[in-house]
């Protein structure tokens, strides 16, 4: 092969590694790993310049105490980083393929040296170009020639020693002409070229189907990897959130512990001060009593009878002292003190948990917009699709299948069939409303009873202060404050629908253990005007992350 002087041509040949089949300047030992004694697989180079299979070198280094080259024994203070020599790998892979082709060459049956050009089914032999010449002239021209094959006997009928030229569709086997008048007489036979064409067409369809199956599985692999990536990110976020929760709890506990210790120390100091005052008073009384005792002792021996009689009345009166019978210092810490501290700690922990939980779910906030095609004719939607209120008069709207005809409610535009989502709704100024989610196949043309059995997961307000979870039967809700803004959170896979008081940062109610099989949509019902007492709209609010 003449080499072009063009640099592009030379580069192209280097990349494709196309060498003449009959000229092999490379020998196998040039691409042989000295460890496994086979042609390189993923070759890597050592700093000393020797090449080995990556797996061979890895196993070798793993089995030795010191890291050195297996060939020249040069030692390395640090285990070298192994990177595959891509150029050497390409050459080695080409050499492997070429070796296989060389070994699979069919040779001429006559000279046994030259590469075969054709095989003759009539002669039962394979010929090179030179020895095939008799088949180009004379009587041998009609012999059936095929591309050279090693197993030529498989192309000849073993019973009649004739070429297998026909295919029996009844027995699904190849036959010769003599077979059609003997064992396969009256069978449906066609030329093998025709049947091969049919089979190729069928194979083409199968090939297409297999390719599609491959694409489907590659797509599924991509989906699984994507799910794993999402799961990993969610897990990392959950871990981060959990660490934050426990850190906040620890800070709250430490703060409460410090407060408790401070209170206990202050109580102890107060008890000590009280004891000191008691002791001081007692010591003063003891001093006074000792003085009186001394006077009595002295007068009991006096001869001054007149003086004794003069001071006797004052000495006989009992000294002014405190009744110490019921006075004491409590040796025990006040149970009420501990109880109050623990109660405050519980309150602090609840606040931390509520704030952290709300902050965690707010990260799943989605942009919800009302769907006018589902709105009851009495409902008025704002232009931006964020507010809905009720009017006395019905609008003239088409009665499409999606629209609610009886209950004054509306759905969000976007439905959800996986994952988690959260949104907030301002409900201030209203004395009744319904909020939550509903699945896409709920009934819209009849009166609706709100409960999970009918595809609704909601809470409502009635009479200005009566809150209830519509769980079928309803669950009354006791809230500390009137709701101003409600947060709605859904975890589709977990079957969870939760409601939160955004202003109070507290949990209201959760539907748990639900089984969602259809899309779920945000659900809103501002309810009727109630003689002007309920004219305020429901407003979808942007989510402001809790700090």
């Amino acid at each position: 092969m003449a080499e072009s002087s063009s640099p592009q041509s030379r580069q192209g040949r280097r990349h494709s590694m196309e060498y003449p089949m009959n000229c092999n300047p490379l020998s196998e030992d040039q691409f042989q790993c000295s460890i496994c004694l086979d042609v390189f697989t993923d070759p890597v180079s050592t700093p000393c310049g020797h090449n080995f299979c990556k797996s061979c070198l890895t196993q070798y280094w793993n089995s030795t105490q010191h890291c050195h080259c297996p060939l020249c024994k040069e030692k390395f203070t640090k285990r070298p980083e192994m990177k595959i020599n891509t150029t050497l790998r390409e050459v080695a892979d080409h050499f492997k393929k070429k070796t296989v082709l060389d070994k699979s060459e069919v040779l001429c049956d006559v000279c046994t040296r030259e590469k075969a050009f054709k095989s003759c089914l009539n002669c039962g032999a394979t010929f090179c170009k030179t020895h095939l010449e008799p088949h180009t002239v004379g009587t041998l021209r009609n012999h059936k020639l095929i591309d050279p094959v090693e197993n030529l006997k498989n192309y000849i009928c073993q019973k009649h020693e004739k070429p297998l030229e026909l295919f029996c569709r009844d027995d699904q086997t190849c036959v010769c002409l003599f077979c059609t008048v003997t064992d396969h007489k009256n069978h449906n036979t066609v030329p093998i070229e025709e049947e091969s064409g049919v089979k190729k067409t069928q194979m083409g369809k199968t090939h297409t189907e297999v390719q599609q199956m491959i694409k489907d599985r590659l797509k599924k692999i991509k989906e699984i990897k994507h799910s794993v990536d999402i799961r990993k990110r969610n897990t990392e976020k959950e871990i981060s959130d959990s660490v934050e929760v426990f850190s906040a709890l620890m800070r709250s506990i430490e703060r409460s512990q410090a407060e408790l210790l401070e209170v206990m120390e202050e109580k102890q100091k107060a008890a000590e001060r009280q004891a000191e005052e008691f002791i001081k008073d007692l010591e003063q009384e003891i001093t006074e009593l000792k003085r009186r005792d001394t006077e009595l002792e002295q007068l009991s021996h006096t001869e001054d009878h007149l003086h004794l009689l003069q001071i006797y009345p004052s000495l006989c009166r009992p000294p002014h002292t405190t009744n110490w019978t019921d006075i004491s210092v409590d040796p025990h810490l006040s149970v009420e003190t501990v109880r109050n501290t623990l109660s405050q700690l519980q309150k602090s922990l609840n606040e931390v948990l509520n704030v952290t939980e709300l902050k965690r779910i707010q990260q799943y906030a989605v942009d919800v917009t009302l769907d006018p095609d589902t709105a009851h004719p009495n409902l008025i939607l704002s232009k931006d699709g964020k507010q809905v209120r009720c009017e006395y008069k019905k609008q003239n709207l088409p009665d499409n299948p999606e629209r609610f005809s009886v209950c004054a409610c509306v759905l969000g535009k976007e439905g959800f069939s996986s994952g988690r989502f959260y949104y907030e709704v301002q409900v201030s100024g209203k004395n009744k409303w319904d909020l939550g989610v509903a699945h896409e196949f709920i009934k819209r043309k009849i009166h609706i009873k709100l409960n999970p059995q009918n595809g609704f997961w909601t809470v409502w307000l009635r009479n200005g202060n009566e809150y209830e979870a519509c769980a079928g039967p309803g669950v009354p809700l006791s809230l500390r404050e009137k709701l101003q803004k409600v947060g709605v959170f859904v975890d589709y896979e977990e079957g969870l629908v939760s409601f939160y008081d955004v202003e109070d940062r507290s949990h209201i109610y959760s539907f748990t253990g639900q089984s969602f099989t259809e899309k779920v949509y945000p659900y809103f019902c501002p309810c009727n005007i109630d003689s002007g007492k309920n004219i305020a709209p429901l407003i979808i609010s942007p989510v402001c992350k809790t700090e």
Side-chain angles (χ1 to χ4, degrees):
M1 178 183 291
E3 183 174 359
S4 171
S5 61
S6 167
Q8 291 84 354
S9 299
R10 290 195 298 272
Q11 184 180 19
R13 279 196 297 277
R14 284 198 298 271
H15 282 293
S16 62
M17 300 299 175
E18 293 179 354
Y19 298 104
M21 294 298 291
N22 59 353
C23 179
N24 183 14
L26 304 175
S27 60
E28 184 172 351
D29 56 355
Q30 292 176 276
F31 304 104
Q32 195 175 70
C33 171
S34 60
I35 298 177
C36 66
L37 303 180
D38 202 351
V39 178
F40 292 124
T41 299
D42 290 336
V44 293
S45 301
T46 59
C48 56
H50 295 115
N51 301 308
F52 307 91
C53 297
K54 184 178 181 181
S55 60
C56 295
L57 189 57
T58 300
Q59 292 177 7
Y60 181 82
W61 279 347
N62 288 342
S63 64
T64 58
Q65 185 176 2
H66 300 289
C67 192
H68 61 267
C69 174
L71 198 60
C72 68
K73 306 303 180 183
E74 179 178 340
K75 292 184 178 180
F76 311 116
T77 56
K78 183 181 178 182
R79 185 166 178 166
E81 181 181 357
M82 292 186 292
K83 293 185 178 179
I84 295 174
N85 187 330
T86 55
T87 302
L88 181 57
R89 180 175 63 182
E90 289 179 7
V91 177
D93 289 347
H94 174 79
F95 185 83
K96 287 180 182 178
K97 293 176 182 178
K98 187 178 183 305
T99 302
V100 171
L101 288 174
D102 289 343
K103 290 180 179 178
S104 62
E105 266 189 5
V106 179
L107 300 178
C108 176
D109 287 341
V110 179
C111 62
T112 67
R113 297 189 311 273
E114 296 294 328
K115 180 181 176 181
F117 184 68
K118 290 289 183 180
S119 292
C120 177
L121 296 180
N122 299 86
C123 299
T126 299
F127 306 100
C128 62
K129 279 189 177 181
T130 302
H131 292 103
L132 187 67
E133 287 183 4
H135 284 76
T136 61
V137 294
T139 58
L140 300 183
R141 283 185 303 174
N142 296 326
H143 284 195
K144 189 169 183 63
L145 302 177
I146 61 173
D147 290 333
V149 292
E150 287 185 341
N151 54 339
L152 190 56
K153 65 178 182 179
N154 293 340
Y155 294 78
I156 299 174
C157 177
Q158 298 302 305
K159 185 175 182 180
H160 303 110
E161 297 184 352
K162 297 295 181 182
L164 296 171
E165 301 179 275
L166 302 171
F167 183 80
C168 176
R169 287 178 172 172
D170 293 338
D171 296 330
Q172 290 293 300
T173 185
C174 294
V175 298
C176 69
L177 285 173
F178 283 93
C179 291
T180 61
V181 295
T182 56
D183 297 341
H184 297 269
K185 186 177 181 180
N186 298 326
H187 284 193
N188 181 14
T189 57
V190 294
I192 59 172
E193 291 83 4
E194 181 180 335
E195 185 64 20
S196 177
V198 172
K199 292 293 191 288
K200 285 181 180 179
T201 302
Q202 294 174 349
M203 287 171 60
K205 293 179 181 179
T206 304
H207 176 61
T208 302
E209 292 173 358
V210 170
Q211 284 186 322
Q212 186 59 47
M213 291 171 68
I214 293 171
K215 290 180 180 178
D216 292 342
R217 279 148 183 77
L218 289 173
K219 182 180 178 182
K220 179 56 66 175
I221 290 174
K222 188 176 180 180
E223 290 175 0
I224 292 172
K225 288 183 177 179
H226 181 62
S227 297
V228 170
D229 290 340
I230 294 176
R231 177 63 179 267
K232 183 179 180 181
R233 289 196 296 270
N234 289 340
T235 299
E236 290 173 349
K237 187 66 175 64
E238 292 291 343
I239 291 173
S240 176
D241 290 343
S242 298
V243 170
E244 184 178 348
V245 170
F246 283 109
S247 297
L249 289 175
M250 290 302 297
R251 288 194 297 271
S252 181
I253 291 172
E254 290 170 357
R255 184 169 58 252
S256 297
Q257 182 187 38
E259 292 173 357
L260 177 59
L261 292 175
E262 184 179 353
V263 169
M264 293 171 68
E265 289 175 357
E266 184 58 36
K267 292 286 185 180
Q268 177 63 26
K269 289 179 181 178
E272 290 175 358
R273 287 194 297 269
Q274 184 185 45
E276 289 174 359
E277 291 175 0
F278 288 162
I279 291 171
K280 182 180 179 181
D281 291 344
L282 285 166
E283 288 176 343
Q284 287 178 351
E285 290 186 2
I286 290 171
T287 300
E288 180 63 26
L289 290 170
K290 284 183 177 180
R291 186 184 63 77
R292 176 68 64 88
D293 184 61
T294 300
E295 289 179 355
L296 289 172
E297 176 65 23
Q298 291 174 352
L299 287 174
S300 65
H301 300 290
T302 186
E303 296 296 330
D304 188 348
H305 304 295
L306 179 62
H307 177 66
L308 175 64
L309 292 175
Q310 289 176 340
I311 66 172
Y312 178 77
S314 63
L315 289 174
C316 288
R317 287 196 300 270
H320 179 70
T321 57
T322 303
N323 183 5
W324 294 94
T325 305
D326 297 325
I327 297 176
S328 65
V329 176
D330 189 355
H332 303 290
L333 180 66
S334 172
V335 174
E336 190 62 27
T337 300
V338 178
R339 184 180 294 114
N340 290 339
T341 304
L342 292 177
S343 176
Q344 184 61 39
L345 173 59
Q346 183 64 51
K347 182 179 178 181
S348 299
L349 293 180
N350 289 339
E351 289 177 356
V352 169
L353 288 172
N354 287 337
V355 171
T356 307
E357 173 65 11
L358 188 57
K359 183 178 179 181
R360 183 184 71 83
I361 66 173
Q362 282 179 332
Q363 68 179 306
Y364 300 105
V366 294
D367 184 17
V368 175
T369 304
L370 301 171
D371 184 0
D373 291 337
T374 66
H376 186 276
N378 280 101
L379 297 184
I380 305 298
L381 275 58
S382 61
K383 289 184 179 180
D384 63 359
K386 299 296 183 181
Q387 301 186 26
V388 56
R389 59 185 175 84
C390 193
E391 286 287 353
Y392 287 113
K393 186 178 179 180
K394 283 188 177 183
Q395 303 174 82
N396 185 18
L397 299 173
D399 188 21
N400 50 287
E402 300 85 6
R403 191 177 306 283
F404 291 96
S405 301
V406 177
C407 298
C409 46
V410 61
L411 299 180
K413 277 187 177 180
E414 297 297 328
F416 301 86
S417 57
S418 64
R420 302 167 179 172
F421 66 93
Y422 172 82
Y423 64 95
E424 294 178 352
V425 183
Q426 183 178 315
V427 296
S428 56
K430 298 186 67 61
N431 67 353
K432 55 183 175 180
W433 46 259
D434 309 339
L435 279 178
V437 294
H439 73 59
E440 60 181 323
F441 298 122
I442 53 173
K443 295 180 181 179
R444 310 184 188 203
K445 305 300 182 182
I446 61 174
H447 179 74
I448 307 169
K449 187 173 183 180
L450 301 180
N451 57 48
Q453 292 76 23
N454 292 334
F456 295 88
W457 294 267
T458 60
V459 296
W460 74 17
L461 168 66
R462 294 293 184 268
N463 303 319
N465 60 1
E466 297 175 6
Y467 296 96
E468 183 175 292
C470 305
V475 178
L477 303 174
S478 178
L479 305 179
R480 292 183 296 184
E481 301 288 341
K482 184 176 175 66
L483 291 173
Q484 303 298 316
K485 187 182 290 187
V486 178
V488 183
F489 173 69
V490 177
D491 188 326
Y492 193 94
E493 282 73 21
E494 290 294 326
L496 173 69
V497 182
S498 296
F499 298 85
Y500 295 86
D501 180 345
V502 179
E503 300 297 326
D504 192 46
R505 298 184 296 191
S506 60
H507 174 257
I508 299 174
Y509 184 81
S510 287
F511 293 91
T512 59
Q514 307 301 303
S515 180
F516 299 128
T517 55
E518 301 92 10
K519 276 188 177 181
V520 293
Y521 290 79
Y523 171 85
F524 309 83
C525 180
C527 297
N528 58 45
I529 296 176
D530 194 19
S531 302
K533 300 176 184 177
N534 193 41
I535 60 175
L538 291 175
I539 304 173
I540 301 171
S541 306
V543 175
C544 299
K545 300 294 177 67
T546 300
E547 298 298 333

